[in-house]
Amino acid sequence: MTLRLTASILLTTAAAMSLNARVASPDDIIPRPALFTPADGVCAIDHTSGRMPNIYKEIGQTSSASPESYTLTITPEGFKITAPTEAGHFYAMQTIRQMLAGDSVTAVRCGTVSDEPRFAYRGLLFDVSRHFRPIDFLKKQIDAMALMKLNRLHLHLTDGAGWRMPIDRYPRLNEFAAWRPQAKWSDWSVAGARYCESSDPRAYGGYYTKDELRDLIDYAAQRNIVVVPEIEMPGHSEEVLAAYPELSCSGQPYSSSDFCPGKEATFKFLEGVLDEVMEIFPSEYIHIGGDEASKSAWHDCPDCRKRMADEGFTDINQLQSYLITRMERYLNAHGRSIIGWDEILEGGVAPNATIMSWRGTQGGIEALKSGHDVIMTPGEFCYIDYSQDAPFKEPESIGGYTPLAKVYSYEPLEPGLTATDASHLLGVQANLWSEYIPADSHAEYMYYPRAYAIAEIGWSTPEKDYPDFHRRALILNDQLKSQGYNVFDLAGEYGERRESLTTVSHLGRGASVTYTLPYHSKYPAAGNTTLTDGLRGGWTYGDKRWQGFSTPMNLVIDLGSEKPIHYIGATFMHSAGAWVHLPDKVVYSISSDGKDFSPAATLWNDVDAAYPKIMFKDYGTTLPEGTRARYIRLEATPNPRPGAWLFTDEIIIN
Ligand code: ACM
Ligand code: ZN
């Protein structure tokens, strides 16, 4: 009896295995190898004995000049790796690791993989300021990065939400600037963005010790990953200026986000910080931030004005350029190079700076054309803090909609760039800004699978085949999931807002619109035809279907002639994290001559302005039988929250 049972279990297991049995291939992995030439036969994998095929490694040239290149020959006897460096061997091993993942793989297809990266820089940003993450979390992500041949971990160590590295000369950075009384970023922001002592019972945050950072850097280096530290300057520095207010223009804490570039103390501080950063981080590149400085306090600061006079500056941007260029000189003198966000182009770029282009690609292209090295990370494709699926089924996010297909569609080498320009394009990076990502598991969910697309763009040749990439992403997702990563359920993806996938026919389609108050120049969508073109918006206000207003709305639609109408409606978007709010009130009025309007309907908002997810609300009304009109006026009153936007996609009239 016992024997028979055992035999039947074995049979069942064997049958299940043979049902799922899969012959893996280099064609199944991410990033797609540069070239795979199949040969006859397979290399069998014996899971029962746990015996894996022999792997022979040799140092030798490949057909590529890249030190990360490798050749992997798969025969029935085993694997043979040839690579010029340890990095190449390591990447061949990652190819094997991906192919062998999962018990269902019973063999690997024979052939030769000749592989090399398209770009030398393939990065992910970790925003450990907005939410501190433990070292073990970062190591776990390094393991995943290595598997997909990503090789730069951009560690965003400092920002207004907390300073994360101890600096012995400036202990208030980790005693005070690393801690805040509210854990939730939006609560902290609304409560005035204050810091607290590490001893405060409410203290939330933290910092890495220098030993932890050294250990992390070693761990990454063993996996061919360089940790690139970012120390923000001159903006995004509220936490420093709360701890050391003498470095701000006013000398008062909580008065500005920017260092004072007029004061020598600022340079003494930054050089001291960078000395300790260089002691810990061997990276050639030190990222000095440079983004989103408000510069507002600089105008009236006597030190800044004196600096401008002494240097003969006429433009406030030159003060930023002065600070960045001085810091570049300091770091260059110590054998390091700077990376800065594309704002450092304003006021004159530091001579040797590498530009990280995030506000689209224009800054990056300009920098390439002037001979600067560039890393592309345009927000539209590479900001993975945006929602990756229908917002109604996703966790709270900063807004937007950047599904896997969108990230994958990005091509960094734009038409019009010369071979010389292209030689300065170092690579690509995805950024996970983490204001709305408190939990480590949530961060993983946001990285995977979208990091796969960055890995593929950074490594593989530029040909695109999304269905094939999607197939491989499902395989890699399964592998990461089985290793305990919280990945997004790609198989269950809902996709784009259904309304946006077809055009809508209605009586007002094609009607002219006269704007009494204009739409915002940043969000025109298709301009004056947007609201009557039959095209509905998708999940994000940035998709050029939604028209944005930073004022009340007041516009008139002209149907061309008087017609019977029985319905008027417009859909508005709510995305509180992006300051996109529903109108408090929408008033429709109608007219036959365009002069005398009579009220048709007044509709009120009933949704809490703090509702944490993106949602849409129809402000629609059915009109009494017999209603006729040629002109329809829409007036919308924004939410009273300062800076609230209105976004709508179509005014539907029937
Ligand atoms: C950035 O998103 N401010 C670089
Ligand atoms: Zn100043």
Side-chain angles (χ1 to χ4, degrees), residues 196-468:
C196 64
E197 298 297 331
S198 59
S199 56
D200 190 308
R202 300 166 303 170
Y204 172 87
Y207 60 90
Y208 305 110
T209 67
K210 288 187 172 181
D211 280 345
E212 284 175 327
L213 288 170
R214 285 193 193 94
D215 175 49
L216 180 76
I217 291 160
D218 283 351
Y219 189 88
Q222 285 161 23
R223 290 155 183 81
N224 197 47
I225 292 171
V226 177
V227 181
V228 178
E230 179 179 357
I231 304 295
E232 280 270 20
M233 63 190 79
H236 281 281
S237 298
E238 294 90 340
E239 84 291 24
V240 179
L241 303 176
Y244 296 98
E246 63 274 21
L247 305 176
S248 68
C249 288
S250 70
Q252 299 302 313
Y254 304 112
S255 64
S256 168
S257 54
D258 309 332
F259 285 100
C260 172
K263 295 185 173 67
E264 277 307 299
T266 293
F267 294 90
K268 181 166 181 286
F269 172 86
L270 290 173
E271 289 174 6
V273 166
L274 290 173
D275 283 346
E276 295 189 38
V277 169
M278 286 189 282
E279 270 168 38
I280 302 296
F281 290 89
S283 165
E284 174 198 347
Y285 291 110
I286 308 283
H287 200 304
I288 48 68
D291 59 317
E292 298 183 306
S294 94
K295 304 169 191 170
S296 54
W298 299 353
H299 289 274
D300 300 324
C301 165
D303 295 313
C304 287
R305 292 169 79 103
K306 177 165 187 321
R307 177 81 74 198
M308 287 192 70
D310 290 351
E311 298 291 331
F313 295 157
T314 52
D315 173 357
I316 203 89
N317 288 317
Q318 289 172 288
L319 276 180
Q320 157 142 325
S321 172
Y322 173 85
L323 180 141
I324 301 291
T325 303
R326 243 180 99 167
M327 299 322 298
E328 168 169 276
R329 221 178 299 132
Y330 189 75
L331 288 167
N332 285 174
H334 289 78
R336 307 301 181 96
S337 304
I338 69 165
I339 302 177
W341 299 108
D342 58 65
E343 285 92 333
I344 70 168
L345 294 165
E346 293 158 8
V349 63
N352 307 315
T354 294
I355 303 301
M356 212 170 240
S357 189
W358 72 279
R359 297 176 304 174
T361 57
Q362 238 2 78
I365 290 169
E366 184 190 321
L368 288 173
K369 294 211 166 288
S370 62
H372 284 265
D373 286 348
V374 167
I375 296 150
M376 286 294 191
T377 179
E380 187 184 348
F381 299 94
C382 298
Y383 271 37
I384 56 173
D385 49 338
Y386 297 138
S387 190
Q388 66 196 312
D389 201 2
F392 67 79
K393 66 179 272 287
E394 293 302 295
E396 180 182 10
S397 79
I398 198 160
Y401 174 56
T402 306
L404 180 64
K406 174 90 183 183
V407 182
Y408 176 79
S409 72
Y410 178 54
E411 166 49 43
L413 204 54
E414 295 190 21
L417 292 173
T418 65
T420 308
D421 301 336
S423 71
H424 289 288
L425 181 52
L426 300 187
V428 288
Q429 178 170 292
N431 301 329
L432 184 62
W433 302 108
S434 296
E435 287 91 335
Y436 293 91
I437 306 175
D440 299 346
S441 62
H442 182 182
E444 289 181 358
Y445 179 87
M446 301 300 270
Y447 280 116
Y448 314 116
R450 288 180 291 182
Y452 313 164
I454 292 298
E456 179 121 334
I457 295 163
W459 182 281
S460 306
T461 53
E463 300 78 40
K464 304 275 186 195
D465 179 348
Y466 185 68
D468 183 65

Side-chain angles (χ1 to χ4, degrees), residues 619-653:
Y619 290 73
T621 186
T622 305
L623 301 169
E625 199 135 335
T627 303
R628 295 176 63 84
R630 172 172 171 180
Y631 299 95
I632 294 144
R633 171 177 285 147
L634 180 156
E635 294 164 275
T637 309
N639 183 280
R641 183 183 180 189
W645 288 81
L646 293 171
F647 274 86
T648 186
D649 58 347
E650 185 80 4
I651 300 169
I652 293 175
I653 300 163

Side-chain angles (χ1 to χ4, degrees), residues 335-614:
R336 307 301 181 96
S337 304
I338 69 165
I339 302 177
W341 299 108
D342 58 65
E343 285 92 333
I344 70 168
L345 294 165
E346 293 158 8
V349 63
N352 307 315
T354 294
I355 303 301
M356 212 170 240
S357 189
W358 72 279
R359 297 176 304 174
T361 57
Q362 238 2 78
I365 290 169
E366 184 190 321
L368 288 173
K369 294 211 166 288
S370 62
H372 284 265
D373 286 348
V374 167
I375 296 150
M376 286 294 191
T377 179
E380 187 184 348
F381 299 94
C382 298
Y383 271 37
I384 56 173
D385 49 338
Y386 297 138
S387 190
Q388 66 196 312
D389 201 2
F392 67 79
K393 66 179 272 287
E394 293 302 295
E396 180 182 10
S397 79
I398 198 160
Y401 174 56
T402 306
L404 180 64
K406 174 90 183 183
V407 182
Y408 176 79
S409 72
Y410 178 54
E411 166 49 43
L413 204 54
E414 295 190 21
L417 292 173
T418 65
T420 308
D421 301 336
S423 71
H424 289 288
L425 181 52
L426 300 187
V428 288
Q429 178 170 292
N431 301 329
L432 184 62
W433 302 108
S434 296
E435 287 91 335
Y436 293 91
I437 306 175
D440 299 346
S441 62
H442 182 182
E444 289 181 358
Y445 179 87
M446 301 300 270
Y447 280 116
Y448 314 116
R450 288 180 291 182
Y452 313 164
I454 292 298
E456 179 121 334
I457 295 163
W459 182 281
S460 306
T461 53
E463 300 78 40
K464 304 275 186 195
D465 179 348
Y466 185 68
D468 183 65
F469 176 75
H470 185 269
R471 173 186 71 83
R472 291 177 286 125
L474 290 172
I475 298 173
L476 186 51
N477 246 12
D478 280 347
Q479 182 174 0
L480 288 194
K481 207 158 76 181
S482 73
Q483 292 171 9
Y485 292 84
N486 180 35
V487 301
F488 166 72
D489 174 18
L490 185 59
E493 186 176 13
Y494 177 94
E496 183 54 285
R497 184 172 175 239
R498 297 294 186 261
E499 288 87 335
S500 71
L501 301 178
T502 53
T503 50
V504 50
S505 296
H506 61 93
L507 192 65
R509 191 161 162 211
S512 71
V513 179
T514 303
Y515 291 84
T516 312
L517 294 170
Y519 46 84
H520 196 280
S521 59
K522 255 176 92 174
Y523 296 102
N528 289 2
T529 60
T530 300
L531 299 180
T532 52
D533 61 4
L535 300 177
R536 306 296 306 275
W539 295 128
T540 171
Y541 60 85
D543 67 3
K544 303 186 175 69
R545 295 281 189 91
W546 292 94
Q547 194 163 64
F549 299 79
S550 59
T551 63
M553 278 174 73
N554 189 327
L555 56 84
V556 176
I557 298 168
D558 179 359
L559 297 176
S561 60
E562 192 175 272
K563 292 173 184 171
I565 60 173
H566 63 87
Y567 176 85
I568 315 171
T571 303
F572 285 82
M573 178 186 283
H574 165 94
S575 176
W579 272 265
V580 176
H581 284 282
L582 297 170
D584 253 16
K585 180 170 85 167
V586 172
V587 178
Y588 295 110
S589 20
I590 55 176
S591 164
S592 41
D593 61 6
K595 295 189 187 90
D596 293 326
F597 281 82
S598 49
T602 298
L603 304 167
W604 299 89
N605 182 28
D606 54 3
V607 176
D608 182 354
Y611 179 73
K613 296 194 179 194
I614 294 176

